[in-house]
Amino acid sequence: MNFHTRASVPLLPSLAMLLVFICLLLVSPLLVQSFDANASSTSAARALDALLQDYAYRAFVRPRTGVPYDARVPSNFTGISITAMRLRSGSLRTRGVRMYKEFEIPIGVVEQPYVERLVLVYQNLGNWSLRYYSLPNYTYLAPLLGLLAYDASNLSATNLPELDLRASGDPIKIKFSDVRPAPNGSLPKCVWFDLHGLVKLSNLTSANECSTIQQGHFSIVTESIAPPSPPTRSEGKESNRRTWIIVASVVGGVALLAFLGFLVLWARKCKRRKKMQEMEKAAEVGEALHMTSVGDTKAPSATVTRTQPTLENEYVP
């Protein structure tokens, strides 16, 4: 009996750990939902970059080095404009580009890994800026502009990885031409999105001008001063659904722990019953002895005698 009790004690911490694991397994999707939302937004933006790279390369029918070529986008992306320009890496590094749309590229811009020729793809996302690059609590004052570098060795290639374009000397300047005035009391800021979802805010270098040492997507924003809108009906339903999932997971975990505890008690009871049955079988193998009291103790005694005692006066010759 003591053995089974000691053996069952280590099961309780194991059951508690199992309950915690199940609860975390059920609730963890809710904890990472915000991270998944950011990841899905970055993934959609990267897919758009790949699509625009494909259509930008289609503009190179008879390409000439250093000449920008405006490209067409699919009809379902009306409002986005793209341009492609092929350059020699050495020329870009030693001469720069005086003006490529809104980008002024100085001397000393290099790419990694090194390629002999590269293509600079310009993007103006127009009214699609907020859809692919949402920035909570901020308002766009200018369309989002992109500058990305690709290998130009194969102008028919698609899904090309971006080159790492960096300014080793003076920064690249972005001179925005279509900028809405900022609301009274608000301060315009430059915003930069890198290719991995990182967002960085900085001050304008001059009126409607930002600067960068890396490629990416750029715009001018201002902090929103309007109060946040109340949650929509769908958001309220989503919040209620999360609450019910958490409650159900906790209740289910407690019920599972109770069930496992019942199984442990049932197993202990079965083992005890089995042991008693084995003891009874072992006792039935020998002859049971009659117990009698002798003082304060009990001792076995025979139920019958082999020879009846005979008194002397009862003897008959």
Side-chain angles (χ1 to χ4, degrees):
M1 177 63 183
N2 293 336
F3 172 77
H4 294 296
T5 303
R6 290 193 298 268
S8 63
V9 170
L11 291 177
L12 296 179
S14 301
L15 294 177
M17 292 298 296
L18 180 61
L19 174 61
V20 173
F21 174 76
I22 294 174
C23 291
L24 289 177
L25 188 64
L26 294 173
V27 179
S28 57
L30 302 177
L31 299 179
V32 300
Q33 186 171 10
S34 59
F35 298 101
D36 290 342
N38 294 334
S40 61
S41 177
T42 302
S43 177
R46 303 301 296 120
L48 178 64
D49 290 338
L51 176 69
L52 298 182
Q53 176 266 317
D54 178 22
Y55 278 85
Y57 272 43
R58 296 184 187 186
F60 290 128
V61 180
R62 295 179 180 177
R64 295 173 55 190
T65 301
V67 177
Y69 292 86
D70 294 333
R72 294 182 179 180
V73 296
S75 58
N76 55 332
F77 284 99
T78 301
I80 296 178
S81 60
I82 55 175
T83 304
M85 182 170 61
R86 188 176 66 165
L87 297 167
R88 291 182 179 273
S89 296
S91 175
L92 176 64
R93 183 179 67 257
T94 58
R95 299 174 58 183
V97 179
R98 184 172 182 179
M99 209 66 197
Y100 178 36
K101 296 295 184 176
E102 288 93 338
F103 291 89
E104 182 180 323
I105 304 176
I107 296 173
V109 173
V110 295
E111 79 284 351
Q112 291 291 336
Y114 173 80
V115 293
E116 184 177 352
R117 294 175 182 267
L118 56 86
V119 173
L120 295 181
V121 174
Y122 162 86
Q123 303 175 2
N124 185 328
L125 299 187
N127 55 357
W128 295 79
S129 303
L130 187 60
R131 178 169 181 176
Y132 283 93
Y133 294 88
S134 62
L135 196 61
N137 302 323
Y138 283 88
T139 302
Y140 280 99
L141 299 180
L144 200 68
L145 306 180
L147 181 67
L148 304 177
Y150 300 92
D151 186 3
S153 58
N154 181 6
L155 296 182
S156 300
T158 60
N159 295 320
L160 288 174
E162 291 82 1
L163 302 173
D164 185 11
L165 194 70
R166 292 176 180 268
S168 59
D170 295 333
I172 300 172
K173 296 180 180 180
I174 309 105
K175 299 182 177 181
F176 294 89
S177 57
D178 184 12
V179 182
R180 294 187 290 109
N184 293 332
S186 61
L187 181 64
K189 291 279 188 179
C190 297
V191 62
W192 165 60
F193 297 87
D194 78 345
L195 301 182
H196 306 288
L198 177 65
V199 182
K200 182 179 179 181
L201 295 170
S202 60
N203 295 325
L204 276 69
T205 54
S206 63
N208 298 339
E209 181 181 294
C210 299
S211 64
T212 181
I213 61 172
Q214 294 178 258
Q215 63 182 353
H217 294 81
F218 312 89
S219 185
I220 297 178
V221 297
T222 183
E223 191 170 3
S224 302
I225 57 177
S229 58
T232 61
R233 187 175 182 180
S234 60
E235 291 174 347
K237 291 182 179 179
E238 181 67 18
S239 178
N240 292 336
R241 188 178 71 87
R242 295 177 189 174
T243 302
W244 278 111
I245 291 176
I246 295 175
V247 172
S249 63
V250 173
V251 173
V254 173
L256 178 61
L257 182 60
F259 176 72
L260 293 176
F262 170 77
L263 288 180
V264 172
L265 295 176
W266 178 78
R268 290 175 53 190
K269 186 175 181 180
C270 288
K271 288 181 180 180
R272 188 196 308 174
R273 183 181 301 172
K274 184 177 180 182
K275 186 175 180 180
M276 293 297 295
Q277 290 175 354
E278 292 176 353
M279 294 175 63
E280 291 175 357
K281 289 181 180 179
E284 291 175 356
V285 174
E287 182 180 357
L289 298 178
H290 176 70
M291 303 298 292
T292 184
S293 298
V294 180
D296 294 334
T297 61
K298 290 185 178 182
S301 64
T303 57
V304 297
T305 59
R306 294 184 180 180
T307 303
Q308 294 291 333
T310 303
L311 301 175
E312 292 181 0
N313 56 4
E314 293 180 357
Y315 176 74
V316 179

